[in-house]
Amino acid sequence: MKKAGSVEVEAVRKAAGGIALERPEGLVTIDGENQHMYKTARIGVIQPDGLIKEVWNSGEPIKPDPYLKGYPWASGLANG
């Protein structure tokens, strides 16, 4: 709202695109197209003490694809 200078939904939505925040999991950035976040993917193994040991990460934030547009196998999913 601060960046948009307004509380109007459409103004806030437009202004949110590109906002980047440093979070405990690393850098996250809001995608202006779909309002989802670029994030670093991480895979971990739960240890006997309950802590999670990271065994792999993508190395950099990944562009969000919430509607699976980048996957040919998903093209008919929205149709039921």
Side-chain angles (χ1 to χ4, degrees):
M1 293 178 355
K2 185 176 182 179
K3 184 178 174 186
S6 171
V7 295
E8 296 298 319
V9 173
E10 198 54 39
V12 172
R13 186 174 289 157
K14 286 179 182 176
I19 290 177
L21 304 164
E22 192 60 51
R23 298 281 140 221
E25 69 269 25
L27 182 68
V28 297
T29 305
I30 299 173
D31 186 307
E33 266 182 53
N34 55 42
Q35 291 78 54
H36 285 75
M37 293 201 177
Y38 285 76
K39 290 182 71 171
T40 301
R42 300 175 192 284
I43 297 176
V45 174
I46 300 174
Q47 302 297 296
D49 61 4
L51 297 177
I52 300 171
K53 177 184 175 186
E54 184 178 289
V55 295
W56 179 86
N57 73 63
S58 60
E60 62 185 26
I62 299 171
K63 178 178 176 51
D65 185 6
Y67 309 112
L68 304 176
K69 291 179 180 178
Y71 301 92
W73 57 264
S75 64
L77 293 177
N79 301 330

